Amino acid sequence: MAKKAADTRDTKASAPRDMTHKELLGFLNDLARTWPDAETELVFASPFQLLVSTALAAQATDASVNKATPALFAKAPGPAEMAQLTPEEVGDYIRTIGLWRNKAKNVVALSAKIMSDYNGEVPRDRAALETLPGVGRKTAAVILNVAYGEPVMPVDTHCFRLANRTGLARGKDVVEVEKRLETRIPRNLIREAHHWLILQGRYVCKARKPECWRCAAIRNCLFPNKTPAPA
Ligand code: SF4
């Protein structure tokens, strides 16, 4: 039987240029149709719980976090209760999540800081959020976007890859891509676009092999090495 030739298309290639504004709007419109009910896959009941879940989800899947957090949040629904726990106690709830030891320490420490410095409320300010233990630029942006409705664009690995690959907003690092996406995408679409890009990157425009043959946004995408339909 003839051996199937290896697929040598370079999936790390960037688009040769940025999309025009018209192409960008068409691309986003196609993503909006693909993901009409897009929202975060994390389960939470307050900005604090979203903050903890997002911190736990770093280098782990949302599904693994959603399995662990119901019991954790039943024990400690807010920062006052969470700050009373020891890292070992928090660790008992999150052992199935990658890097759990460090994350348990951070969850207790960020809860204590929210109580001592922010009156028990998750701050609605990027710089203040970034002072919390274990909270980086992306996590802060998720809280501002999802919990507080601010038009900011958290850029994760999916979003970074997709922006460069398609020509939505090319940039050498996540901060550059974040700034360019926030400038290029109309303000009223930024919040939802964040979810569209993550879901598209996670399930269709995958890292190793983008599934271009079934991608609703193909007509405006500038990726030069699109994957044809499987034979
Ligand atoms: S056409 Fe391919 S490269 Fe372009 S967005 Fe769709 S899946 Fe990604």
Side-chain angles (χ1 to χ4, degrees), residues 19 27 31 162 165-166 200-201 204-206 209-227:
M19 289 177 192
F27 186 84
L31 291 190
L162 204 137
R165 187 186 260 171
T166 62
Q200 184 74 6
V204 181
C205 195
K206 298 176 184 172
K209 191 178 202 179
E211 297 178 0
C212 307
W213 71 88
R214 66 179 193 92
C215 174
I218 194 169
R219 67 197 168 101
N220 290 298
C221 172
L222 302 176
F223 180 52
N225 302 329
K226 295 193 179 75
T227 315

PDB file of all heavy atoms in Angstrom, residues 19 27 31 162 165-166 200-201 204-206 209-227, ligand 1:
ATOM      1  N   MET A  19      -4.343  42.107   8.042  1.00  0.00           N
ATOM      2  CA  MET A  19      -5.614  42.259   7.312  1.00  0.00           C
ATOM      3  C   MET A  19      -5.964  43.736   7.172  1.00  0.00           C
ATOM      4  O   MET A  19      -5.631  44.547   8.046  1.00  0.00           O
ATOM      5  CB  MET A  19      -6.759  41.616   8.111  1.00  0.00           C
ATOM      6  CG  MET A  19      -6.745  40.126   8.160  1.00  0.00           C
ATOM      7  SD  MET A  19      -8.133  39.571   9.221  1.00  0.00           S
ATOM      8  CE  MET A  19      -7.678  37.857   9.416  1.00  0.00           C
ATOM      9  N   PHE A  27     -13.653  38.825   8.907  1.00  0.00           N
ATOM     10  CA  PHE A  27     -13.113  37.703   9.681  1.00  0.00           C
ATOM     11  C   PHE A  27     -13.844  37.580  11.024  1.00  0.00           C
ATOM     12  O   PHE A  27     -14.304  36.494  11.408  1.00  0.00           O
ATOM     13  CB  PHE A  27     -11.614  37.928   9.896  1.00  0.00           C
ATOM     14  CG  PHE A  27     -10.888  36.802  10.556  1.00  0.00           C
ATOM     15  CD1 PHE A  27     -10.429  35.718   9.813  1.00  0.00           C
ATOM     16  CD2 PHE A  27     -10.639  36.806  11.918  1.00  0.00           C
ATOM     17  CE1 PHE A  27      -9.743  34.663  10.422  1.00  0.00           C
ATOM     18  CE2 PHE A  27      -9.961  35.767  12.529  1.00  0.00           C
ATOM     19  CZ  PHE A  27      -9.507  34.694  11.779  1.00  0.00           C
ATOM     20  N   LEU A  31     -16.343  34.674  12.669  1.00  0.00           N
ATOM     21  CA  LEU A  31     -16.130  34.045  13.983  1.00  0.00           C
ATOM     22  C   LEU A  31     -17.367  34.221  14.865  1.00  0.00           C
ATOM     23  O   LEU A  31     -17.740  33.315  15.624  1.00  0.00           O
ATOM     24  CB  LEU A  31     -14.918  34.653  14.697  1.00  0.00           C
ATOM     25  CG  LEU A  31     -13.549  34.358  14.104  1.00  0.00           C
ATOM     26  CD1 LEU A  31     -12.459  34.824  15.067  1.00  0.00           C
ATOM     27  CD2 LEU A  31     -13.352  32.884  13.805  1.00  0.00           C
ATOM     28  N   LEU A 162      -3.122  32.779  16.602  1.00  0.00           N
ATOM     29  CA  LEU A 162      -4.146  33.088  15.607  1.00  0.00           C
ATOM     30  C   LEU A 162      -3.964  34.497  15.028  1.00  0.00           C
ATOM     31  O   LEU A 162      -4.108  34.711  13.824  1.00  0.00           O
ATOM     32  CB  LEU A 162      -5.504  32.950  16.276  1.00  0.00           C
ATOM     33  CG  LEU A 162      -6.660  32.670  15.353  1.00  0.00           C
ATOM     34  CD1 LEU A 162      -7.557  31.608  15.957  1.00  0.00           C
ATOM     35  CD2 LEU A 162      -7.467  33.909  15.107  1.00  0.00           C
ATOM     36  N   ARG A 165      -0.916  34.286  12.683  1.00  0.00           N
ATOM     37  CA  ARG A 165      -1.107  33.367  11.558  1.00  0.00           C
ATOM     38  C   ARG A 165      -2.085  33.938  10.527  1.00  0.00           C
ATOM     39  O   ARG A 165      -1.899  33.787   9.325  1.00  0.00           O
ATOM     40  CB  ARG A 165      -1.643  32.058  12.129  1.00  0.00           C
ATOM     41  CG  ARG A 165      -1.762  30.923  11.172  1.00  0.00           C
ATOM     42  CD  ARG A 165      -2.435  29.749  11.867  1.00  0.00           C
ATOM     43  NE  ARG A 165      -1.538  28.722  12.318  1.00  0.00           N
ATOM     44  CZ  ARG A 165      -1.907  27.697  13.099  1.00  0.00           C
ATOM     45  NH1 ARG A 165      -3.135  27.586  13.510  1.00  0.00           N
ATOM     46  NH2 ARG A 165      -1.025  26.781  13.452  1.00  0.00           N
ATOM     47  N   THR A 166      -3.116  34.564  11.010  1.00  0.00           N
ATOM     48  CA  THR A 166      -4.191  35.018  10.106  1.00  0.00           C
ATOM     49  C   THR A 166      -3.977  36.430   9.567  1.00  0.00           C
ATOM     50  O   THR A 166      -4.601  36.817   8.589  1.00  0.00           O
ATOM     51  CB  THR A 166      -5.541  35.020  10.835  1.00  0.00           C
ATOM     52  OG1 THR A 166      -5.459  35.956  11.921  1.00  0.00           O
ATOM     53  CG2 THR A 166      -5.881  33.646  11.372  1.00  0.00           C
ATOM     54  N   GLN A 200     -11.783  29.679  18.725  1.00  0.00           N
ATOM     55  CA  GLN A 200     -11.329  29.333  17.378  1.00  0.00           C
ATOM     56  C   GLN A 200      -9.930  28.703  17.430  1.00  0.00           C
ATOM     57  O   GLN A 200      -9.661  27.714  16.762  1.00  0.00           O
ATOM     58  CB  GLN A 200     -11.304  30.607  16.504  1.00  0.00           C
ATOM     59  CG  GLN A 200     -10.940  30.370  15.063  1.00  0.00           C
ATOM     60  CD  GLN A 200     -12.054  29.716  14.249  1.00  0.00           C
ATOM     61  OE1 GLN A 200     -13.171  29.520  14.745  1.00  0.00           O
ATOM     62  NE2 GLN A 200     -11.762  29.374  13.012  1.00  0.00           N
ATOM     63  N   GLY A 201      -9.049  29.274  18.240  1.00  0.00           N
ATOM     64  CA  GLY A 201      -7.686  28.752  18.351  1.00  0.00           C
ATOM     65  C   GLY A 201      -7.656  27.390  19.034  1.00  0.00           C
ATOM     66  O   GLY A 201      -6.868  26.528  18.693  1.00  0.00           O
ATOM     67  N   VAL A 204     -10.376  24.968  16.309  1.00  0.00           N
ATOM     68  CA  VAL A 204     -10.319  24.933  14.831  1.00  0.00           C
ATOM     69  C   VAL A 204      -8.922  25.310  14.325  1.00  0.00           C
ATOM     70  O   VAL A 204      -8.264  24.534  13.621  1.00  0.00           O
ATOM     71  CB  VAL A 204     -11.377  25.875  14.200  1.00  0.00           C
ATOM     72  CG1 VAL A 204     -11.315  25.794  12.670  1.00  0.00           C
ATOM     73  CG2 VAL A 204     -12.779  25.542  14.693  1.00  0.00           C
ATOM     74  N   CYS A 205      -8.446  26.467  14.696  1.00  0.00           N
ATOM     75  CA  CYS A 205      -7.145  26.946  14.207  1.00  0.00           C
ATOM     76  C   CYS A 205      -6.056  26.430  15.158  1.00  0.00           C
ATOM     77  O   CYS A 205      -5.373  27.191  15.831  1.00  0.00           O
ATOM     78  CB  CYS A 205      -7.165  28.473  14.143  1.00  0.00           C
ATOM     79  SG  CYS A 205      -5.817  29.146  13.179  1.00  0.00           S
ATOM     80  N   LYS A 206      -5.937  25.104  15.211  1.00  0.00           N
ATOM     81  CA  LYS A 206      -5.081  24.452  16.209  1.00  0.00           C
ATOM     82  C   LYS A 206      -3.603  24.645  15.896  1.00  0.00           C
ATOM     83  O   LYS A 206      -3.238  24.873  14.733  1.00  0.00           O
ATOM     84  CB  LYS A 206      -5.408  22.959  16.247  1.00  0.00           C
ATOM     85  CG  LYS A 206      -6.834  22.669  16.667  1.00  0.00           C
ATOM     86  CD  LYS A 206      -7.102  21.191  16.582  1.00  0.00           C
ATOM     87  CE  LYS A 206      -8.560  20.892  16.916  1.00  0.00           C
ATOM     88  NZ  LYS A 206      -8.897  19.480  16.669  1.00  0.00           N
ATOM     89  N   LYS A 209      -1.947  21.690  13.486  1.00  0.00           N
ATOM     90  CA  LYS A 209      -2.592  21.563  12.182  1.00  0.00           C
ATOM     91  C   LYS A 209      -3.922  22.313  12.187  1.00  0.00           C
ATOM     92  O   LYS A 209      -4.944  21.779  12.652  1.00  0.00           O
ATOM     93  CB  LYS A 209      -2.826  20.081  11.878  1.00  0.00           C
ATOM     94  CG  LYS A 209      -3.233  19.822  10.451  1.00  0.00           C
ATOM     95  CD  LYS A 209      -3.386  18.329  10.249  1.00  0.00           C
ATOM     96  CE  LYS A 209      -3.272  17.967   8.811  1.00  0.00           C
ATOM     97  NZ  LYS A 209      -3.406  16.519   8.627  1.00  0.00           N
ATOM     98  N   PRO A 210      -3.923  23.547  11.689  1.00  0.00           N
ATOM     99  CA  PRO A 210      -5.192  24.277  11.634  1.00  0.00           C
ATOM    100  C   PRO A 210      -6.167  23.559  10.706  1.00  0.00           C
ATOM    101  O   PRO A 210      -5.767  23.060   9.661  1.00  0.00           O
ATOM    102  CB  PRO A 210      -4.791  25.646  11.076  1.00  0.00           C
ATOM    103  CG  PRO A 210      -3.490  25.428  10.384  1.00  0.00           C
ATOM    104  CD  PRO A 210      -2.811  24.304  11.109  1.00  0.00           C
ATOM    105  N   GLU A 211      -7.427  23.487  11.111  1.00  0.00           N
ATOM    106  CA  GLU A 211      -8.415  22.735  10.320  1.00  0.00           C
ATOM    107  C   GLU A 211      -9.129  23.686   9.359  1.00  0.00           C
ATOM    108  O   GLU A 211     -10.332  23.944   9.452  1.00  0.00           O
ATOM    109  CB  GLU A 211      -9.358  21.991  11.269  1.00  0.00           C
ATOM    110  CG  GLU A 211      -8.565  20.977  12.093  1.00  0.00           C
ATOM    111  CD  GLU A 211      -9.368  20.193  13.118  1.00  0.00           C
ATOM    112  OE1 GLU A 211     -10.590  20.402  13.239  1.00  0.00           O
ATOM    113  OE2 GLU A 211      -8.738  19.370  13.808  1.00  0.00           O
ATOM    114  N   CYS A 212      -8.327  24.187   8.417  1.00  0.00           N
ATOM    115  CA  CYS A 212      -8.799  25.242   7.514  1.00  0.00           C
ATOM    116  C   CYS A 212      -9.989  24.789   6.674  1.00  0.00           C
ATOM    117  O   CYS A 212     -10.849  25.596   6.337  1.00  0.00           O
ATOM    118  CB  CYS A 212      -7.658  25.699   6.607  1.00  0.00           C
ATOM    119  SG  CYS A 212      -6.183  26.182   7.514  1.00  0.00           S
ATOM    120  N   TRP A 213     -10.033  23.503   6.338  1.00  0.00           N
ATOM    121  CA  TRP A 213     -11.086  23.018   5.449  1.00  0.00           C
ATOM    122  C   TRP A 213     -12.479  23.178   6.057  1.00  0.00           C
ATOM    123  O   TRP A 213     -13.467  23.186   5.375  1.00  0.00           O
ATOM    124  CB  TRP A 213     -10.830  21.554   5.080  1.00  0.00           C
ATOM    125  CG  TRP A 213     -11.041  20.598   6.200  1.00  0.00           C
ATOM    126  CD1 TRP A 213     -12.224  19.986   6.537  1.00  0.00           C
ATOM    127  CD2 TRP A 213     -10.084  20.149   7.153  1.00  0.00           C
ATOM    128  NE1 TRP A 213     -12.051  19.189   7.638  1.00  0.00           N
ATOM    129  CE2 TRP A 213     -10.750  19.256   8.035  1.00  0.00           C
ATOM    130  CE3 TRP A 213      -8.714  20.401   7.351  1.00  0.00           C
ATOM    131  CZ2 TRP A 213     -10.092  18.635   9.101  1.00  0.00           C
ATOM    132  CZ3 TRP A 213      -8.078  19.770   8.409  1.00  0.00           C
ATOM    133  CH2 TRP A 213      -8.749  18.910   9.264  1.00  0.00           C
ATOM    134  N   ARG A 214     -12.535  23.307   7.406  1.00  0.00           N
ATOM    135  CA  ARG A 214     -13.848  23.456   8.040  1.00  0.00           C
ATOM    136  C   ARG A 214     -13.958  24.794   8.782  1.00  0.00           C
ATOM    137  O   ARG A 214     -14.785  24.968   9.667  1.00  0.00           O
ATOM    138  CB  ARG A 214     -14.125  22.287   8.993  1.00  0.00           C
ATOM    139  CG  ARG A 214     -13.222  22.220  10.206  1.00  0.00           C
ATOM    140  CD  ARG A 214     -13.607  21.052  11.092  1.00  0.00           C
ATOM    141  NE  ARG A 214     -12.977  21.130  12.405  1.00  0.00           N
ATOM    142  CZ  ARG A 214     -13.533  21.719  13.465  1.00  0.00           C
ATOM    143  NH1 ARG A 214     -14.702  22.277  13.377  1.00  0.00           N
ATOM    144  NH2 ARG A 214     -12.897  21.737  14.620  1.00  0.00           N
ATOM    145  N   CYS A 215     -13.099  25.730   8.410  1.00  0.00           N
ATOM    146  CA  CYS A 215     -13.056  27.019   9.102  1.00  0.00           C
ATOM    147  C   CYS A 215     -13.983  28.019   8.417  1.00  0.00           C
ATOM    148  O   CYS A 215     -13.836  28.306   7.236  1.00  0.00           O
ATOM    149  CB  CYS A 215     -11.627  27.556   9.109  1.00  0.00           C
ATOM    150  SG  CYS A 215     -11.505  29.210   9.796  1.00  0.00           S
ATOM    151  N   ALA A 216     -14.909  28.574   9.187  1.00  0.00           N
ATOM    152  CA  ALA A 216     -15.884  29.513   8.621  1.00  0.00           C
ATOM    153  C   ALA A 216     -15.245  30.855   8.264  1.00  0.00           C
ATOM    154  O   ALA A 216     -15.840  31.645   7.529  1.00  0.00           O
ATOM    155  CB  ALA A 216     -17.010  29.732   9.622  1.00  0.00           C
ATOM    156  N   ALA A 217     -14.035  31.115   8.765  1.00  0.00           N
ATOM    157  CA  ALA A 217     -13.413  32.428   8.549  1.00  0.00           C
ATOM    158  C   ALA A 217     -12.338  32.379   7.467  1.00  0.00           C
ATOM    159  O   ALA A 217     -11.515  33.288   7.349  1.00  0.00           O
ATOM    160  CB  ALA A 217     -12.814  32.930   9.866  1.00  0.00           C
ATOM    161  N   ILE A 218     -12.339  31.343   6.648  1.00  0.00           N
ATOM    162  CA  ILE A 218     -11.242  31.131   5.691  1.00  0.00           C
ATOM    163  C   ILE A 218     -11.149  32.232   4.632  1.00  0.00           C
ATOM    164  O   ILE A 218     -10.061  32.567   4.185  1.00  0.00           O
ATOM    165  CB  ILE A 218     -11.363  29.728   5.031  1.00  0.00           C
ATOM    166  CG1 ILE A 218     -10.066  29.354   4.311  1.00  0.00           C
ATOM    167  CG2 ILE A 218     -12.570  29.646   4.095  1.00  0.00           C
ATOM    168  CD1 ILE A 218     -10.005  27.889   3.877  1.00  0.00           C
ATOM    169  N   ARG A 219     -12.267  32.847   4.253  1.00  0.00           N
ATOM    170  CA  ARG A 219     -12.216  33.757   3.103  1.00  0.00           C
ATOM    171  C   ARG A 219     -11.386  35.017   3.381  1.00  0.00           C
ATOM    172  O   ARG A 219     -10.848  35.605   2.451  1.00  0.00           O
ATOM    173  CB  ARG A 219     -13.619  34.114   2.604  1.00  0.00           C
ATOM    174  CG  ARG A 219     -14.417  34.931   3.558  1.00  0.00           C
ATOM    175  CD  ARG A 219     -15.900  34.926   3.260  1.00  0.00           C
ATOM    176  NE  ARG A 219     -16.611  35.495   4.367  1.00  0.00           N
ATOM    177  CZ  ARG A 219     -17.067  36.731   4.404  1.00  0.00           C
ATOM    178  NH1 ARG A 219     -16.949  37.514   3.346  1.00  0.00           N
ATOM    179  NH2 ARG A 219     -17.665  37.198   5.477  1.00  0.00           N
ATOM    180  N   ASN A 220     -11.278  35.453   4.612  1.00  0.00           N
ATOM    181  CA  ASN A 220     -10.468  36.641   4.916  1.00  0.00           C
ATOM    182  C   ASN A 220      -9.143  36.321   5.597  1.00  0.00           C
ATOM    183  O   ASN A 220      -8.361  37.233   5.905  1.00  0.00           O
ATOM    184  CB  ASN A 220     -11.267  37.608   5.798  1.00  0.00           C
ATOM    185  CG  ASN A 220     -12.395  38.251   5.033  1.00  0.00           C
ATOM    186  OD1 ASN A 220     -12.161  38.961   4.050  1.00  0.00           O
ATOM    187  ND2 ASN A 220     -13.631  37.984   5.439  1.00  0.00           N
ATOM    188  N   CYS A 221      -8.888  35.049   5.871  1.00  0.00           N
ATOM    189  CA  CYS A 221      -7.651  34.658   6.565  1.00  0.00           C
ATOM    190  C   CYS A 221      -6.468  34.721   5.609  1.00  0.00           C
ATOM    191  O   CYS A 221      -6.552  34.249   4.476  1.00  0.00           O
ATOM    192  CB  CYS A 221      -7.816  33.237   7.110  1.00  0.00           C
ATOM    193  SG  CYS A 221      -6.272  32.572   7.768  1.00  0.00           S
ATOM    194  N   LEU A 222      -5.345  35.259   6.068  1.00  0.00           N
ATOM    195  CA  LEU A 222      -4.168  35.437   5.204  1.00  0.00           C
ATOM    196  C   LEU A 222      -3.074  34.400   5.466  1.00  0.00           C
ATOM    197  O   LEU A 222      -1.959  34.540   4.963  1.00  0.00           O
ATOM    198  CB  LEU A 222      -3.596  36.847   5.409  1.00  0.00           C
ATOM    199  CG  LEU A 222      -4.576  37.998   5.120  1.00  0.00           C
ATOM    200  CD1 LEU A 222      -3.926  39.336   5.455  1.00  0.00           C
ATOM    201  CD2 LEU A 222      -5.039  37.979   3.680  1.00  0.00           C
ATOM    202  N   PHE A 223      -3.365  33.372   6.242  1.00  0.00           N
ATOM    203  CA  PHE A 223      -2.363  32.319   6.476  1.00  0.00           C
ATOM    204  C   PHE A 223      -1.989  31.680   5.137  1.00  0.00           C
ATOM    205  O   PHE A 223      -2.863  31.226   4.398  1.00  0.00           O
ATOM    206  CB  PHE A 223      -2.946  31.272   7.430  1.00  0.00           C
ATOM    207  CG  PHE A 223      -2.013  30.143   7.756  1.00  0.00           C
ATOM    208  CD1 PHE A 223      -0.722  30.388   8.216  1.00  0.00           C
ATOM    209  CD2 PHE A 223      -2.418  28.822   7.615  1.00  0.00           C
ATOM    210  CE1 PHE A 223       0.139  29.340   8.531  1.00  0.00           C
ATOM    211  CE2 PHE A 223      -1.566  27.773   7.928  1.00  0.00           C
ATOM    212  CZ  PHE A 223      -0.297  28.030   8.383  1.00  0.00           C
ATOM    213  N   PRO A 224      -0.691  31.635   4.819  1.00  0.00           N
ATOM    214  CA  PRO A 224      -0.301  31.182   3.483  1.00  0.00           C
ATOM    215  C   PRO A 224      -0.334  29.661   3.282  1.00  0.00           C
ATOM    216  O   PRO A 224      -0.339  29.204   2.143  1.00  0.00           O
ATOM    217  CB  PRO A 224       1.135  31.692   3.328  1.00  0.00           C
ATOM    218  CG  PRO A 224       1.640  31.871   4.722  1.00  0.00           C
ATOM    219  CD  PRO A 224       0.450  32.142   5.605  1.00  0.00           C
ATOM    220  N   ASN A 225      -0.366  28.883   4.375  1.00  0.00           N
ATOM    221  CA  ASN A 225      -0.224  27.419   4.237  1.00  0.00           C
ATOM    222  C   ASN A 225      -1.475  26.686   4.692  1.00  0.00           C
ATOM    223  O   ASN A 225      -1.414  25.759   5.515  1.00  0.00           O
ATOM    224  CB  ASN A 225       0.977  26.941   5.061  1.00  0.00           C
ATOM    225  CG  ASN A 225       2.253  27.624   4.632  1.00  0.00           C
ATOM    226  OD1 ASN A 225       2.413  27.972   3.467  1.00  0.00           O
ATOM    227  ND2 ASN A 225       3.141  27.847   5.579  1.00  0.00           N
ATOM    228  N   LYS A 226      -2.617  27.092   4.179  1.00  0.00           N
ATOM    229  CA  LYS A 226      -3.873  26.527   4.688  1.00  0.00           C
ATOM    230  C   LYS A 226      -3.936  25.009   4.480  1.00  0.00           C
ATOM    231  O   LYS A 226      -3.462  24.486   3.471  1.00  0.00           O
ATOM    232  CB  LYS A 226      -5.066  27.195   4.000  1.00  0.00           C
ATOM    233  CG  LYS A 226      -5.164  28.682   4.354  1.00  0.00           C
ATOM    234  CD  LYS A 226      -6.497  29.255   3.930  1.00  0.00           C
ATOM    235  CE  LYS A 226      -6.572  30.732   4.310  1.00  0.00           C
ATOM    236  NZ  LYS A 226      -5.779  31.590   3.446  1.00  0.00           N
ATOM    237  N   THR A 227      -4.542  24.325   5.436  1.00  0.00           N
ATOM    238  CA  THR A 227      -4.648  22.865   5.385  1.00  0.00           C
ATOM    239  C   THR A 227      -5.840  22.461   4.507  1.00  0.00           C
ATOM    240  O   THR A 227      -6.959  22.901   4.772  1.00  0.00           O
ATOM    241  CB  THR A 227      -4.885  22.303   6.811  1.00  0.00           C
ATOM    242  OG1 THR A 227      -3.986  22.951   7.720  1.00  0.00           O
ATOM    243  CG2 THR A 227      -4.671  20.811   6.848  1.00  0.00           C
TER     244      THR A 227
HETATM  245  S1  SF4 B   1      -8.361  29.353   7.550  1.00  0.00           S
HETATM  246 FE1  SF4 B   1      -6.993  28.014   8.712  1.00  0.00          FE
HETATM  247  S2  SF4 B   1      -5.348  29.359   9.401  1.00  0.00           S
HETATM  248 FE2  SF4 B   1      -7.063  30.661   8.809  1.00  0.00          FE
HETATM  249  S3  SF4 B   1      -8.230  31.001  10.703  1.00  0.00           S
HETATM  250 FE3  SF4 B   1      -9.144  29.260   9.660  1.00  0.00          FE
HETATM  251  S4  SF4 B   1      -8.150  27.474  10.561  1.00  0.00           S
HETATM  252 FE4  SF4 B   1      -6.866  29.264  11.044  1.00  0.00          FE
END
